[in-house]
Amino acid sequence: MQAFGPPNEGPFQGLVASRIETYGGRHQASTQSTPGSLYPRGGLVLEVPKAHELEMRLHTFSMFGMPRLPPEDRRHWEIGEGSDSGLVIEKSWKELVPGHKEMSRELCHQQEALWELLTTELIYVRKLKIMTDLLAAGLLNLQRVGLLMEVSAETLFGNVPSLIRAHRSFWEEVLGPTLGETRASGQPLDPLSLQNGFLTFSQRFQPYVLYCLRVKQTMAYAREQQDNNPLFHTFVQWCEKHKRSGRQMLGDLLIKPHQRITKYPLLLQAVLKRSPEAHARDALKAMIAAVESFLRHINKQVRQDEEQESLVAAAQRIGPYEVLEPASEEVEKSLRPYATLDLMSPMLGVGPEHTRQLLLEGFARVKEGREGKLDVYLFLFSDVLLVTKPPRKADKAKVIRPPLMLEKLVCQPLRDPSSFLLIHLTEFQCVSSALVVHCPSAADCTQWLKKTQQAQVTLQKLKAEEYIQQKRELLALYRDREESPSTRPSTPSLEGSQSSAEGRTPESSTVIPHLVVTEDTDEDAPSVPDDTSDSGYGTLVPGSPKEAHSPLSRLRSRAFRRDPRLTFSTLDLRAVPLRPQPPDPQAPQRRSAPELPGEGIRKGGSLPRVDLPAWSEEGDRTPTGGDLVVDTLHRARLRGQRPPSPTHADSAGESPWESSGDEEEGPLAWEPPSYTPSRHPLRAEDMLREIREELASQRIEGIPEPADSRPRKLTRAQLQRMRGPRIIHLDTPLSTSEV
């Protein structure tokens, strides 16, 4: 049984201790061969020509220097003479400060700490240049003549050139100006001048993230090449003995970036310890916090990469998913697409930065129900427990039970100290399955219970953190939408609905379809409304010859072209009070919106429900009942005359209405003729037409309604009586109240 614990949680331990393996840099088998031999482990004789050529090339490099590489290679690898001329520094800060003898002891210690920061920076950059100017340049020159072609310089040195560029920029923009100011003024080094550079530490040294992620592969690759490639081993030995290397080993050079990036907080803390000024201490604390935050980010990335590699290795050990025994080949074929287990998938309800980890594994015996004990091999992951068949040698473990999710798992110890009970629950918190696990010993049983409970607590904590984070992001999203006026949905107001109807576009606002009309005056359209339009229902009389060319139709189409969202359904308009017509009958009439009720109209709803008013006309005896059809017919018979309207032919080809004969252009001018009852009773079609004409005359002619009239609304029963046996097609959905 093997237990896997989490990596070191120290702030910077995971970056070096858990990631960097000890690498001596020298060939361990050199004692097996004679000094100067190219074949420490007995290389093939066939390599002698290449080995001789390699020795000759390296001797030439030592005598006459390294040949110049092509410009593109020099730029990529930061190889060049004279590019580091500015990276120079005096032996001591006292050479720059003439009055150092009069300075206090504490201030002198502060200058020593700052000077160490500057000098170690230059030393580190020069060591990085050894990897490029000596190792990389030598390898590339040898590959140009066909030697060491199997060695990859990119894999061996990673993104070291990017590190060099970052540190050169850091020196030129931060450390160099601080040193130059002291040189020019003779004043002590000022720690405040470093603040802006260290506060942007994470942006400046971002290449370290990639280098730290690849360093394990880089170290393994260098070790493998030195162990298995005698020619490469000879080349590395020549580089390590070169005068420019300073006796630095390849392994030591590859570790230097990690050592340097973790040393910055220590250097700044040494300066902080010797800085008594409050403002300087505050600035240094902020710089230290910025550097440590970046180091934590690197450690987090490294830990996630290690966890991912560990999960890949564990997933490769688990084989087929065979939790069911199919009854036939047909059933087996249908189950095949679902007989897979993907351990690389993210954990449910947990942030993507957390990776599933193998926490514990080992042999056990399980008993389910009254069946006998079964030998199994258990895998405990961060969120699931797998029961597999014990693997044989190189075989993979076969999953023989459905995965047991930890959030639905209950572990209880039994009287037997080496056994415990596993209860798996469903979403309804009822038992799905139960297993009695018999461990090899009581200590193993205790460890399984402890690890499982710890994993459950950790999983619950991670899910709670992810839930809180999602809520915070959602609240931030809503807050941004509220603060941004361009994305806020617009709710039309009662006062500004008419004036804003023209300027809005469907892309920029959300339109709530209430009553939408137009206030524009159409000068081209005649002022006389068309009687063939149904002002009460918003439909045209069937068979009307002027359906497509009536003035109201032209007005409607013109307004609809101006704003396609507008609708002229007069079914909603008839239930609100009307504005009186202009007193001048010759003036062009203005088509405007009706006065809206006092209460707002709810979205998706209808106008307020009101009681039917008691109708009254001048000198008429009007029933006060609630039947609109009866009231309208009664008034139509009592009024005696009808306004002129185009002839509507009924099914028999006759017109049910008598025209006044003479019509004048412009506003309506008519005398009420006497009403003669029809000799034949009106049919249903004629009755409906009469009702529509009556409503149209009230709407279009502007016949004043009683002062105490209130907005009306049809009930379902009234609408059914008005429809009769025919179906009336409306241009907009009806909004009626319940009976």
Side-chain angles (χ1 to χ4, degrees), residues 168-228:
R168 180 181 289 115
S169 175
F170 187 62
W171 178 266
E172 294 174 353
E173 298 176 5
V174 181
L175 302 182
T178 301
L179 181 62
E181 183 179 354
T182 301
R183 286 171 177 168
S185 63
Q187 297 297 321
L189 298 169
D190 185 10
L192 294 178
S193 61
L194 307 176
Q195 184 175 8
N196 293 334
F198 278 99
L199 291 182
T200 57
F201 195 85
S202 60
Q203 292 83 2
R204 293 180 177 274
F205 296 104
Q206 193 66 28
Y208 273 91
V209 178
L210 181 60
Y211 186 87
C212 295
L213 290 175
R214 293 181 177 178
V215 67
K216 186 176 181 179
Q217 291 80 3
T218 300
M219 301 288 289
Y221 183 77
R223 187 185 303 108
E224 178 186 3
Q225 290 295 327
Q226 277 207 283
D227 291 344
N228 303 324

Side-chain angles (χ1 to χ4, degrees), residues 594-653:
E595 294 290 347
L596 295 176
E599 306 86 16
I601 301 174
R602 297 182 179 178
K603 180 179 179 182
S606 59
L607 295 176
R609 180 175 182 179
V610 296
D611 297 332
L612 294 175
W615 291 81
S616 63
E617 294 283 347
E618 297 180 1
D620 296 341
R621 292 186 302 171
T622 306
T624 58
D627 195 325
L628 177 62
V629 179
V630 177
D631 296 346
T632 304
L633 291 178
H634 182 72
R635 289 199 312 276
R637 292 187 177 92
L638 292 180
R639 287 176 54 186
Q641 297 263 336
R642 291 291 175 271
S645 61
T647 303
H648 303 282
D650 57 8
S651 59

Side-chain angles (χ1 to χ4, degrees), residues 17 308 322 377:
Q308 191 72 16
E322 299 179 0
Y377 195 83

Side-chain angles (χ1 to χ4, degrees), residues 250-469:
L250 177 59
D252 298 336
L253 293 175
L254 294 177
I255 295 177
K256 287 299 180 182
H258 297 82
Q259 295 176 342
R260 182 60 186 176
I261 198 66
T262 57
K263 194 174 182 180
Y264 282 109
L266 302 178
L267 294 172
L268 292 175
Q269 287 174 1
V271 179
L272 174 63
K273 186 178 180 180
R274 301 298 182 179
S275 300
E277 299 85 359
H279 60 286
R281 295 182 62 85
D282 294 340
L284 288 169
K285 290 179 180 179
M287 289 187 275
I288 295 173
V291 177
E292 290 181 346
S293 175
F294 180 63
L295 294 181
R296 285 193 295 269
H297 172 69
I298 295 179
N299 281 331
K300 180 180 179 181
Q301 297 295 324
V302 171
R303 184 178 65 253
Q304 291 179 3
D305 187 69
E306 291 178 343
E307 292 176 352
Q308 191 72 16
E309 292 179 359
S310 175
L311 179 60
V312 171
Q316 292 176 351
R317 298 171 52 196
I318 299 176
Y321 184 83
E322 299 179 0
V323 299
L324 296 176
E325 296 183 1
S328 62
E329 294 183 359
E330 181 181 5
V331 175
E332 182 182 3
K333 185 178 180 180
S334 300
L335 293 177
R336 195 172 300 161
Y338 309 100
T340 57
L341 178 61
D342 185 13
L343 291 175
M344 303 303 299
S345 60
M347 295 187 291
L348 298 178
V350 178
E353 66 275 8
H354 300 285
T355 308
R356 181 180 292 107
Q357 286 298 295
L358 179 60
L359 305 178
L360 187 63
E361 61 177 286
F363 291 94
R365 304 186 69 187
V366 299
K367 182 177 181 181
E368 185 175 11
R370 299 183 179 275
E371 299 179 358
K373 295 181 180 180
L374 179 65
D375 292 334
V376 297
Y377 195 83
L378 303 179
F379 292 90
L380 177 62
F381 289 91
S382 303
D383 62 333
V384 66
L385 176 65
L386 295 182
V387 181
T388 66
K389 187 177 181 180
R392 295 181 179 179
K393 296 182 180 180
D395 295 341
K396 295 183 178 181
K398 183 189 301 183
V399 181
I400 58 176
R401 290 291 186 275
L404 305 177
M405 307 306 295
L406 293 190
E407 60 181 348
K408 299 296 181 182
L409 197 63
V410 178
C411 298
Q412 293 183 356
L414 300 177
R415 283 182 289 183
D416 182 4
S418 61
S419 303
F420 64 94
L421 176 63
L422 286 178
I423 305 175
H424 193 251
L425 306 177
T426 65
E427 295 293 336
F428 294 95
Q429 300 300 314
C430 56
V431 178
S432 171
S433 61
L435 297 175
V436 178
V437 181
H438 299 272
C439 300
S441 64
D444 294 335
C445 179
T446 303
Q447 187 177 17
W448 274 105
L449 290 174
K450 180 181 179 180
K451 286 286 186 178
T452 304
Q453 293 173 358
Q454 290 177 351
Q456 289 176 326
V457 172
T458 303
L459 180 63
Q460 184 179 5
K461 180 181 178 181
L462 294 178
K463 289 194 172 186
E465 292 176 354
E466 178 65 13
Y467 174 75
I468 295 175
Q469 180 65 22

